[in-house]
Amino acid sequence: MSSTAIVNIATLVTNDPSLGDTSPLGQVRDAAVVIDGDRIVWTGGSSEAPATDDRVDAAGRAVVPGFVDSHSHLVFAGDRTDEFNARMSGRPYGAGGIRTTVAATRAASDAELEANLTRLLTEALRQGTTTIETKSGYGLTPEDEARALRLAARHTDEVTYLGAHIVAPEYTDDPAGYVDLVTGTMLDACAPHARWIDVFCERGAFDGDQARAVLTAGRARGLHPRVHANQLTHGPGVRLAVELDAASADHCTHLTDADVDALAAGRTVATLLPGAEFSTRAPWPDARRLLDAGVTVALSTDCNPGSSFTSSVPFCIALAVRDMGMTPDEALWSATAGGAAALRRTDVGRIAPGARADLVLLDAPSHVHLAYRPGVPLVAGVWRRGVRVL
C-alpha cells in the first residue's frame, strides 16, 4: 500500500489537543496529514509534510475525522411515509408504527434486506460517515433477529442485538414470555453475530426490571449493554445504563438532576439523536445541560424508517447547534470522538498517528460550515481505512 499526504488544509481537526491548538478539537491551521496504509502516521504544518508516494491538494479546505454514527436501525423493509405524513399534517394515524416495519421486514427476502442496508450505508458514506453501528429489532423472532444481525455483520463490526425493541405481536398478552424468549432462545441465536445488546427501556416497551433482565442476560453471553433511555418520558433507563456500565444511553430527552449526575459520574456516554425530535416534533434534548455537567455526549442519526429517517450526520450537527444548545465545535466533537466513545473505540473519531485513516474533506475552509450552511452537500472527499472512497 502507498503513502499519501493531504496538504494545503486550511483547518485540520484532529480531536487531539496535543497536536493542535490545545482545544478539544486540536485544530491545526495550514496543515497536512499523512496516511500510510490504513493508518494516520503524521500530522503537522503543510510546509513540513514528509515525502510520500502521492499528494492530494486540499486547496484551502477543511479536513475532519470521519463521522462515527453510533446509533442506527438499518436492517428493515418498507417505509412509513403515510405515518410521517399524517403526523406532520396533524391527522391521527391508525397503522402499527414499529409493528408495520416488523411485518414488512419479516416478509422480505435476505437479498431485499441487504440491498436496502447497503443503499443506506452508501448514502451515509457519501455524507462522511466512516464508522456506523446498526441494530436488529424489526424481526422479533429468533430467526428474523439472527438473520438481521448476520446481514449487518457483513458490513460493520458494530452490530447490536435489539430483540427487546418492542414486545413481538405474538406476545402482546404475554410480555414476560417474550422477555424469556429474548433472553433465551433468541439470545442463543443472536449472540454469535453481535457485539452489543440493547433494550428500549420506556413506557409501552420494557420497564426497568425487564430491561435489567435483558441486559444482564446479554452481558453473560459477552454482549456489552447499550440502552434506549428516557426518550419519551422520565424513567429508569439512564440510571440503569450507568449502573450496568453501558457504553451509551441513547436519546436522553427527559432527564432528572439525578440522571445527569449519574451520567457525569460514570463512563456511559449520552448519545443524542436530534433526527428523532425533528421527525416527531418532540422536545429537544438539552445538550447544554449535559455538557455543562461534564457528561460525555455523542451525536448520531438514529436512522430508522419511523421516527428519524435520515442518514446525514451533518444534518444532525446543524440541528444540535440550532436547537440543542451545542456550539459548532461541540457538535463536531460529539459526532466524531463522542461517537467513538459511545462505541468504546480509540482508533476512530480522531486524526492522529496510529488512528485509522478515516477522514472527510469538506468543501469549506472550516467545520463550522456544517452548521452554518445546513442542507448543503459539503462533503467533497472521504477516506476510509486509508482508501479514498469519494
Side-chain angles (χ1 to χ4, degrees), residues 211-309:
R212 182 187 301 277
V214 168
L215 296 173
T216 54
R219 194 165 61 175
R221 293 295 302 272
L223 305 181
H224 202 86
R226 323 181 66 76
V227 184
H228 280 63
N230 299 55
Q231 177 186 5
L232 306 176
T233 58
H234 293 95
V238 162
R239 275 174 280 176
L240 178 63
V242 174
E243 176 192 335
L244 298 180
D245 190 36
S248 183
D250 297 36
H251 288 289
C252 295
T253 306
H254 298 275
L255 301 178
T256 64
D257 289 345
D259 294 327
V260 175
D261 291 344
L263 286 165
R267 291 201 303 163
T268 300
V269 173
T271 298
L272 307 184
L273 308 165
E277 282 72 37
F278 177 86
S279 296
T280 61
R281 292 180 176 154
W284 299 98
D286 189 349
R288 184 80 268 135
R289 179 186 183 194
L290 290 164
L291 291 164
D292 288 349
V295 176
T296 300
V297 172
L299 194 61
S300 296
T301 64
D302 192 19
C303 184
N304 76 82
S307 61
S308 183
F309 203 7

XYZ file of all heavy atoms in Angstrom, residues 211-309:
718
model
N -35.825 -4.603 31.429
C -34.596 -4.147 30.776
C -33.368 -4.713 31.471
O -32.411 -5.146 30.817
C -34.543 -2.625 30.770
N -33.374 -4.723 32.795
C -32.244 -5.294 33.535
C -32.050 -6.776 33.189
O -30.926 -7.240 32.977
C -32.462 -5.134 35.029
C -31.306 -5.662 35.881
C -31.678 -5.631 37.361
N -31.994 -4.283 37.795
C -31.080 -3.394 38.150
N -29.789 -3.727 38.111
N -31.431 -2.188 38.529
N -33.158 -7.509 33.111
C -33.060 -8.932 32.782
C -32.456 -9.138 31.393
O -31.599 -10.018 31.187
C -34.445 -9.578 32.857
N -32.883 -8.320 30.437
C -32.359 -8.442 29.073
C -30.869 -8.126 29.030
O -30.068 -8.869 28.451
C -33.143 -7.503 28.124
C -32.447 -7.390 26.768
C -34.578 -8.003 27.945
N -30.477 -7.018 29.644
C -29.084 -6.578 29.561
C -28.146 -7.506 30.318
O -27.037 -7.790 29.853
C -28.966 -5.149 30.075
C -29.721 -4.087 29.264
C -29.661 -2.740 29.972
C -29.181 -3.978 27.849
N -28.567 -7.997 31.477
C -27.684 -8.887 32.232
C -27.550 -10.237 31.536
O -26.469 -10.843 31.561
C -28.191 -9.065 33.669
O -29.559 -9.498 33.661
C -28.087 -7.761 34.437
N -28.618 -10.700 30.893
C -28.509 -11.949 30.129
C -27.544 -11.779 28.971
O -26.716 -12.661 28.692
C -29.882 -12.375 29.617
N -27.646 -10.650 28.276
C -26.721 -10.411 27.173
C -25.295 -10.277 27.639
O -24.372 -10.806 26.998
N -25.104 -9.592 28.752
C -23.744 -9.425 29.265
C -23.131 -10.774 29.630
O -21.928 -10.988 29.428
C -23.763 -8.482 30.468
C -22.405 -7.971 30.865
C -22.496 -6.789 31.795
N -23.178 -7.123 33.048
C -23.299 -6.269 34.061
N -22.826 -5.043 33.962
N -23.925 -6.630 35.166
N -23.941 -11.681 30.144
C -23.444 -13.018 30.480
C -23.004 -13.791 29.246
O -22.190 -14.718 29.357
C -24.535 -13.804 31.225
N -23.515 -13.400 28.085
C -23.121 -14.038 26.827
C -22.038 -13.248 26.088
O -21.759 -13.509 24.922
C -24.345 -14.200 25.920
C -25.387 -15.191 26.440
C -24.831 -16.625 26.483
N -24.384 -17.039 25.164
C -25.162 -17.621 24.248
N -26.433 -17.850 24.545
N -24.695 -17.977 23.083
N -21.462 -12.253 26.754
C -20.363 -11.500 26.160
C -20.767 -10.284 25.359
O -19.913 -9.669 24.704
N -22.045 -9.895 25.405
C -22.507 -8.699 24.702
C -22.515 -7.527 25.675
O -23.013 -7.653 26.797
C -23.909 -8.910 24.131
C -24.095 -10.116 23.209
C -25.538 -10.166 22.699
C -23.119 -10.071 22.046
N -22.007 -6.379 25.228
C -21.947 -5.233 26.127
C -23.220 -4.405 25.986
O -23.733 -4.227 24.881
C -20.720 -4.373 25.834
C -20.338 -3.529 27.005
N -19.530 -3.986 28.015
C -20.702 -2.266 27.349
C -19.385 -3.028 28.925
N -20.095 -1.974 28.543
N -23.727 -3.836 27.103
C -25.016 -3.132 27.054
C -24.960 -1.754 26.399
O -23.969 -1.026 26.491
C -25.395 -2.991 28.540
C -24.571 -3.980 29.263
C -23.302 -4.110 28.486
N -26.067 -1.403 25.761
C -26.449 -0.061 25.348
C -27.934 0.052 25.720
O -28.612 -0.966 25.833
C -26.309 0.142 23.826
C -25.139 -0.547 23.187
C -25.034 -0.288 21.688
N -24.742 1.102 21.438
C -23.526 1.647 21.616
N -22.534 0.896 22.028
N -23.322 2.917 21.393
N -28.445 1.251 25.873
C -29.840 1.403 26.305
C -30.512 2.536 25.544
O -29.980 3.653 25.482
C -29.939 1.672 27.827
C -31.398 1.727 28.263
C -29.192 0.607 28.631
N -31.699 2.265 24.981
C -32.618 3.324 24.562
C -33.249 3.858 25.850
O -34.068 3.173 26.481
C -33.731 2.760 23.676
C -33.366 2.536 22.251
N -32.406 1.642 21.857
C -33.881 3.084 21.109
C -32.332 1.654 20.531
N -33.214 2.517 20.055
N -32.876 5.075 26.255
C -33.221 5.529 27.600
C -33.847 6.915 27.592
O -33.330 7.833 26.954
C -31.963 5.552 28.476
N -34.969 7.044 28.319
C -35.556 8.344 28.629
C -35.861 9.165 27.374
O -35.677 10.372 27.344
C -34.620 9.137 29.552
C -34.371 8.448 30.884
O -33.948 7.294 30.917
N -34.620 9.151 31.973
N -36.375 8.493 26.363
C -36.742 9.208 25.139
C -38.094 9.899 25.267
O -38.229 11.085 24.942
C -36.786 8.262 23.934
C -37.242 8.963 22.656
C -37.432 8.043 21.465
O -37.303 6.824 21.594
N -37.734 8.612 20.313
N -39.097 9.175 25.719
C -40.466 9.670 25.698
C -40.919 10.212 27.047
O -41.775 11.093 27.102
C -41.415 8.552 25.248
C -41.063 7.883 23.915
C -42.025 6.738 23.629
C -41.075 8.905 22.789
N -40.347 9.675 28.125
C -40.744 10.057 29.479
C -39.542 9.910 30.401
O -38.525 9.321 30.043
C -41.858 9.135 30.016
O -41.393 7.773 29.993
C -43.129 9.237 29.184
N -39.676 10.452 31.609
C -38.718 10.131 32.654
C -38.866 8.649 33.011
O -39.971 8.106 33.000
C -38.965 10.980 33.897
C -38.700 12.431 33.685
N -39.689 13.338 33.356
C -37.554 13.144 33.736
C -39.162 14.543 33.225
N -37.876 14.455 33.442
N -37.753 8.008 33.320
C -37.807 6.597 33.647
C -36.465 6.098 34.144
O -35.517 6.879 34.314
N -36.346 4.796 34.335
C -35.134 4.230 34.945
C -33.999 3.966 33.971
O -32.923 3.526 34.381
C -35.644 2.915 35.535
C -36.739 2.494 34.588
C -37.405 3.776 34.163
N -34.190 4.235 32.679
C -33.226 3.774 31.680
C -31.828 4.323 31.847
O -30.838 3.591 31.762
N -31.709 5.634 32.090
C -30.385 6.230 32.181
C -29.618 5.679 33.373
O -28.452 5.274 33.251
C -30.492 7.768 32.260
C -29.195 8.381 32.781
C -30.809 8.333 30.881
N -30.256 5.646 34.541
C -29.516 5.176 35.713
C -29.227 3.681 35.634
O -28.191 3.217 36.117
C -30.274 5.547 36.984
C -29.940 6.979 37.421
C -30.756 7.442 38.585
N -32.085 7.865 38.150
C -33.054 8.246 38.977
N -32.834 8.257 40.275
N -34.225 8.625 38.498
N -30.096 2.917 34.987
C -29.800 1.505 34.749
C -28.592 1.368 33.836
O -27.706 0.528 34.064
C -31.015 0.810 34.125
C -30.838 -0.667 33.780
C -30.578 -1.498 35.029
C -32.068 -1.194 33.033
N -28.523 2.205 32.796
C -27.380 2.168 31.882
C -26.076 2.436 32.629
O -25.070 1.733 32.444
C -27.569 3.185 30.762
N -26.079 3.458 33.488
C -24.856 3.779 34.229
C -24.507 2.656 35.198
O -23.342 2.255 35.326
C -25.029 5.117 34.972
C -23.817 5.391 35.867
C -25.223 6.260 33.978
N -25.509 2.130 35.878
C -25.270 1.048 36.833
C -24.616 -0.158 36.166
O -23.702 -0.787 36.735
C -26.594 0.625 37.472
C -26.477 -0.560 38.426
C -27.838 -1.138 38.802
O -28.845 -0.402 38.746
O -27.888 -2.330 39.150
N -25.057 -0.486 34.968
C -24.530 -1.658 34.260
C -23.335 -1.320 33.379
O -22.891 -2.154 32.606
C -25.637 -2.296 33.417
C -26.840 -2.839 34.198
C -27.869 -3.439 33.245
C -26.406 -3.878 35.228
N -22.818 -0.089 33.495
C -21.672 0.360 32.704
C -21.952 0.220 31.207
O -21.092 -0.186 30.426
C -20.395 -0.399 33.081
C -19.149 0.207 32.442
O -19.091 1.448 32.314
O -18.240 -0.568 32.045
N -23.178 0.539 30.806
C -23.492 0.538 29.376
C -22.598 1.544 28.659
O -22.256 2.593 29.211
C -24.962 0.902 29.166
N -22.235 1.224 27.437
C -21.397 2.148 26.674
C -22.134 3.441 26.391
O -21.521 4.514 26.347
C -20.946 1.498 25.368
N -23.456 3.345 26.236
C -24.211 4.534 25.843
C -25.644 4.438 26.331
O -26.246 3.357 26.336
C -24.193 4.678 24.321
O -24.849 5.846 23.902
N -26.160 5.574 26.774
C -27.595 5.753 26.999
C -28.091 6.679 25.902
O -27.628 7.818 25.782
C -27.852 6.363 28.371
N -29.006 6.204 25.091
C -29.353 6.882 23.842
C -30.725 7.542 23.920
O -31.682 6.936 24.382
C -29.319 5.880 22.693
C -27.924 5.305 22.487
O -27.220 5.096 23.484
O -27.540 5.063 21.337
N -30.796 8.757 23.455
C -31.929 9.689 23.443
C -31.780 10.707 24.574
O -31.570 11.882 24.317
C -33.287 8.993 23.491
C -33.642 8.303 22.220
N -33.973 8.977 21.065
C -33.699 6.981 21.906
C -34.226 8.112 20.096
N -34.064 6.899 20.578
N -31.972 10.278 25.831
C -31.721 11.170 26.984
C -32.473 12.497 26.861
O -31.932 13.568 27.150
C -30.220 11.436 27.133
S -29.244 9.983 27.558
N -33.728 12.430 26.467
C -34.526 13.636 26.285
C -35.134 14.113 27.591
O -35.191 15.327 27.844
C -35.642 13.374 25.254
O -35.054 12.864 24.051
C -36.405 14.645 24.933
N -35.586 13.186 28.432
C -36.260 13.539 29.684
C -35.388 13.085 30.852
O -35.368 11.900 31.204
C -37.637 12.882 29.740
C -38.558 13.331 28.641
N -39.328 14.470 28.734
C -38.799 12.803 27.415
C -40.023 14.624 27.620
N -39.729 13.630 26.801
N -34.677 14.042 31.462
C -33.700 13.706 32.486
C -33.982 14.465 33.775
O -34.311 15.653 33.757
C -32.282 14.055 32.012
C -31.785 13.382 30.731
C -30.388 13.878 30.389
C -31.802 11.874 30.872
N -33.809 13.782 34.893
C -33.804 14.430 36.195
C -32.375 14.849 36.522
O -31.410 14.438 35.859
C -34.300 13.469 37.275
O -33.379 12.376 37.383
C -35.695 12.924 36.939
N -32.236 15.652 37.580
C -30.895 16.010 38.024
C -30.110 14.763 38.410
O -28.897 14.683 38.174
C -30.976 16.966 39.214
C -31.454 18.361 38.827
O -31.451 18.680 37.614
O -31.838 19.125 39.735
N -30.790 13.785 39.002
C -30.107 12.545 39.381
C -29.602 11.785 38.160
O -28.521 11.172 38.202
C -31.048 11.659 40.209
N -30.358 11.817 37.070
C -29.900 11.178 35.831
C -28.629 11.849 35.321
O -27.664 11.182 34.937
C -30.978 11.275 34.744
C -32.237 10.491 35.061
O -32.125 9.443 35.711
O -33.315 10.942 34.644
N -28.627 13.169 35.305
C -27.461 13.910 34.807
C -26.256 13.646 35.703
O -25.137 13.410 35.214
C -27.774 15.418 34.721
C -26.530 16.200 34.317
C -28.906 15.667 33.733
N -26.469 13.650 37.010
C -25.370 13.381 37.938
C -24.809 11.980 37.724
O -23.582 11.777 37.780
C -25.846 13.531 39.381
C -26.153 14.977 39.753
O -25.721 15.887 39.014
O -26.838 15.182 40.776
N -25.676 11.014 37.487
C -25.214 9.637 37.265
C -24.366 9.555 36.004
O -23.298 8.919 36.000
C -26.416 8.696 37.170
N -24.811 10.196 34.941
C -24.032 10.183 33.699
C -22.683 10.864 33.894
O -21.654 10.384 33.402
C -24.814 10.882 32.586
C -26.003 10.107 32.010
C -26.900 11.034 31.205
C -25.526 8.941 31.150
N -22.665 11.969 34.627
C -21.414 12.691 34.842
C -20.427 11.887 35.670
O -19.207 12.014 35.501
C -21.708 14.033 35.518
N -20.937 11.032 36.554
C -20.066 10.261 37.438
C -19.608 8.941 36.831
O -18.675 8.316 37.351
C -20.787 9.990 38.763
N -20.258 8.504 35.740
C -19.935 7.207 35.167
C -19.248 7.325 33.824
O -18.878 8.409 33.370
N -19.081 6.173 33.164
C -18.444 6.116 31.841
C -19.449 6.125 30.706
O -19.060 6.213 29.540
C -17.597 4.849 31.714
C -16.364 4.792 32.569
C -15.377 3.778 32.002
N -15.942 2.443 31.861
C -15.408 1.470 31.095
N -14.318 1.715 30.383
N -15.976 0.271 31.046
N -20.719 5.997 31.014
C -21.749 5.883 29.983
C -21.897 7.195 29.228
O -22.067 8.260 29.829
C -23.085 5.481 30.615
O -22.928 4.209 31.269
C -24.174 5.384 29.564
N -21.833 7.119 27.903
C -21.975 8.285 27.034
C -23.457 8.569 26.826
O -24.269 7.652 26.656
C -21.281 8.031 25.685
C -21.554 9.154 24.696
C -19.779 7.836 25.890
N -23.821 9.845 26.830
C -25.179 10.254 26.470
C -25.217 10.513 24.965
O -24.614 11.471 24.485
C -25.572 11.515 27.230
N -25.888 9.639 24.232
C -25.980 9.787 22.782
C -27.287 10.484 22.426
O -28.367 9.974 22.724
C -25.891 8.417 22.089
O -24.628 7.822 22.384
C -26.026 8.567 20.572
N -27.165 11.644 21.811
C -28.325 12.446 21.453
C -28.651 12.250 19.978
O -27.750 12.153 19.146
C -28.059 13.921 21.761
C -27.589 14.214 23.187
C -27.439 15.710 23.405
C -28.531 13.603 24.229
N -29.947 12.219 19.663
C -30.418 11.812 18.344
C -31.439 12.826 17.837
O -32.644 12.568 17.793
C -31.039 10.410 18.434
C -30.135 9.370 19.108
C -30.923 8.124 19.495
C -28.969 8.999 18.204
N -30.979 14.002 17.415
C -31.915 15.079 17.085
C -32.797 14.794 15.882
O -33.837 15.443 15.727
C -31.001 16.277 16.827
C -29.672 15.691 16.470
C -29.571 14.432 17.286
N -32.415 13.852 15.026
C -33.293 13.495 13.922
C -34.643 13.000 14.404
O -35.674 13.220 13.743
N -34.658 12.334 15.566
C -35.923 11.831 16.100
C -36.826 12.968 16.538
O -38.038 12.953 16.273
C -35.656 10.881 17.260
N -36.255 13.956 17.212
C -37.066 15.097 17.626
C -37.540 15.909 16.425
O -38.678 16.387 16.391
C -36.276 15.987 18.591
C -36.202 15.453 20.013
C -35.301 14.239 20.145
O -34.252 14.185 19.469
O -35.645 13.335 20.946
N -36.691 16.056 15.428
C -37.076 16.770 14.210
C -38.267 16.085 13.544
O -39.209 16.749 13.085
C -35.891 16.823 13.249
C -36.188 17.484 11.931
C -36.090 18.860 11.793
C -36.569 16.727 10.827
C -36.375 19.477 10.576
C -36.853 17.331 9.609
C -36.754 18.710 9.483
N -38.233 14.752 13.479
C -39.243 13.998 12.737
C -40.524 13.760 13.519
O -41.524 13.326 12.943
C -38.670 12.654 12.284
O -37.614 12.846 11.366
N -40.498 14.014 14.820
C -41.682 13.771 15.642
C -42.190 15.036 16.328
O -43.214 14.991 17.011
C -41.392 12.717 16.724
O -40.347 13.201 17.577
C -40.980 11.389 16.101
N -41.480 16.142 16.154
C -41.804 17.401 16.824
C -41.852 17.233 18.340
O -42.636 17.876 19.041
C -43.125 17.970 16.306
C -43.032 18.442 14.856
C -44.348 19.013 14.366
N -44.218 19.558 13.004
C -45.212 19.657 12.148
N -46.426 19.264 12.473
N -45.021 20.168 10.936
N -41.008 16.376 18.846
C -40.883 16.181 20.284
C -39.928 17.222 20.870
O -39.174 17.869 20.129
C -40.368 14.768 20.563
N -39.911 17.392 22.180
C -38.963 18.335 22.791
C -37.515 17.925 22.502
O -37.189 16.741 22.442
C -39.276 18.228 24.289
C -40.661 17.685 24.368
C -40.819 16.793 23.174
N -36.660 18.932 22.346
C -35.250 18.667 22.072
C -34.519 18.252 23.340
O -34.786 18.802 24.420
C -34.569 19.918 21.512
C -35.147 20.397 20.227
C -36.054 21.405 20.067
C -34.884 19.890 18.917
N -36.371 21.558 18.738
C -35.666 20.637 17.997
C -34.058 18.876 18.417
C -35.658 20.411 16.635
C -34.042 18.640 17.056
C -34.826 19.398 16.179
N -33.565 17.333 23.261
C -32.689 17.077 24.411
C -31.893 18.343 24.747
O -31.562 19.137 23.855
C -31.754 15.972 23.920
C -32.406 15.395 22.705
C -33.218 16.497 22.098
N -31.595 18.512 26.025
C -30.848 19.684 26.469
C -29.361 19.336 26.527
O -28.827 18.965 27.579
C -31.347 20.137 27.843
C -30.762 21.469 28.280
O -29.810 21.947 27.626
O -31.266 22.020 29.274
N -28.702 19.448 25.385
C -27.280 19.117 25.330
C -26.461 20.030 26.234
O -25.483 19.596 26.854
C -26.777 19.210 23.895
N -26.852 21.291 26.313
C -26.094 22.251 27.126
C -26.037 21.809 28.586
O -24.993 21.896 29.247
C -26.743 23.630 27.014
C -26.038 24.765 27.710
C -24.867 25.291 26.898
N -23.617 24.634 27.231
C -22.756 24.213 26.303
N -22.995 24.331 25.015
N -21.638 23.651 26.670
N -27.163 21.337 29.087
C -27.215 20.863 30.477
C -26.239 19.711 30.695
O -25.523 19.681 31.698
C -28.649 20.433 30.786
C -28.898 19.889 32.182
C -30.328 19.368 32.249
N -30.690 18.885 33.571
C -31.779 18.148 33.822
N -32.614 17.860 32.818
N -32.042 17.731 35.039
N -26.201 18.790 29.767
C -25.312 17.635 29.895
C -23.849 18.052 29.797
O -23.007 17.632 30.604
C -25.647 16.610 28.807
C -26.995 15.890 28.968
C -27.386 15.214 27.657
C -26.916 14.862 30.090
N -23.535 18.867 28.817
C -22.146 19.280 28.628
C -21.640 20.088 29.815
O -20.509 19.899 30.277
C -22.028 20.083 27.332
C -22.229 19.273 26.045
C -22.482 20.208 24.871
C -21.024 18.384 25.774
N -22.471 20.982 30.327
C -22.055 21.798 31.459
C -21.845 20.957 32.716
O -21.085 21.353 33.612
C -23.079 22.896 31.724
C -23.061 23.992 30.673
O -22.109 24.009 29.850
O -24.004 24.806 30.647
N -22.502 19.796 32.779
C -22.321 18.893 33.919
C -21.111 17.980 33.760
O -20.779 17.226 34.674
C -23.578 18.051 34.115
N -20.466 18.034 32.596
C -19.294 17.194 32.367
C -19.588 15.830 31.775
O -18.724 14.942 31.792
N -20.797 15.655 31.238
C -21.168 14.379 30.608
C -20.533 14.287 29.223
O -20.505 15.279 28.481
C -22.702 14.263 30.508
C -23.119 12.990 29.771
C -23.330 14.327 31.896
N -20.039 13.115 28.869
C -19.577 12.882 27.502
C -20.792 12.683 26.603
O -21.649 11.841 26.890
C -18.671 11.641 27.425
O -17.540 11.834 28.266
C -18.200 11.407 25.994
N -20.859 13.452 25.526
C -22.022 13.453 24.642
C -21.622 12.984 23.249
O -20.600 13.417 22.708
C -22.651 14.859 24.566
C -23.739 14.925 23.497
C -23.220 15.259 25.926
N -22.408 12.084 22.683
C -22.276 11.684 21.282
C -23.486 12.196 20.512
O -24.542 12.477 21.099
C -22.183 10.172 21.152
N -23.319 12.302 19.215
C -24.374 12.810 18.332
C -24.502 11.846 17.169
O -23.525 11.579 16.468
C -23.989 14.203 17.845
C -25.029 15.082 17.176
C -26.183 15.366 18.134
C -24.376 16.375 16.731
N -25.707 11.297 16.970
C -25.902 10.282 15.943
C -27.250 10.471 15.255
O -28.065 11.289 15.676
C -25.810 8.879 16.555
O -24.519 8.644 17.064
N -27.475 9.670 14.202
C -28.649 9.913 13.359
C -29.908 9.199 13.812
O -31.014 9.654 13.514
C -28.381 9.464 11.906
O -28.171 8.044 11.890
C -27.195 10.204 11.307
N -29.775 8.033 14.469
C -30.938 7.179 14.747
C -31.663 6.813 13.459
O -32.897 6.690 13.445
C -31.899 7.869 15.718
C -32.975 6.939 16.267
O -32.796 5.708 16.198
O -34.009 7.437 16.761
N -30.944 6.655 12.366
C -31.594 6.381 11.089
C -32.513 5.166 11.210
O -32.064 4.058 11.519
C -30.540 6.147 10.005
S -31.254 5.913 8.359
N -33.803 5.384 10.989
C -34.798 4.312 11.041
C -36.017 4.769 10.262
O -36.197 5.974 10.036
C -35.143 3.967 12.502
C -36.054 4.989 13.154
O -37.266 4.962 12.977
N -35.460 5.921 13.917
N -36.889 3.856 9.825
C -37.963 4.257 8.914
C -39.135 4.954 9.592
O -39.998 5.502 8.898
C -38.420 2.926 8.322
C -38.114 1.926 9.403
C -36.831 2.397 10.022
N -39.172 4.963 10.931
C -40.340 5.509 11.592
C -40.164 6.893 12.158
O -40.945 7.800 11.866
N -39.118 7.094 12.964
C -39.015 8.344 13.717
C -37.817 9.206 13.359
O -37.695 10.328 13.861
C -38.961 8.035 15.225
O -37.824 7.244 15.531
N -36.926 8.709 12.479
C -35.755 9.525 12.132
C -35.127 8.980 10.863
O -34.040 8.406 10.888
C -34.718 9.505 13.265
O -33.624 10.348 12.958
N -35.785 9.195 9.741
C -35.300 8.580 8.503
C -34.297 9.509 7.822
O -34.514 9.993 6.706
C -36.470 8.234 7.588
C -36.144 7.148 6.588
C -34.948 6.451 6.629
C -37.061 6.794 5.608
C -34.653 5.446 5.725
C -36.785 5.789 4.696
C -35.573 5.121 4.758
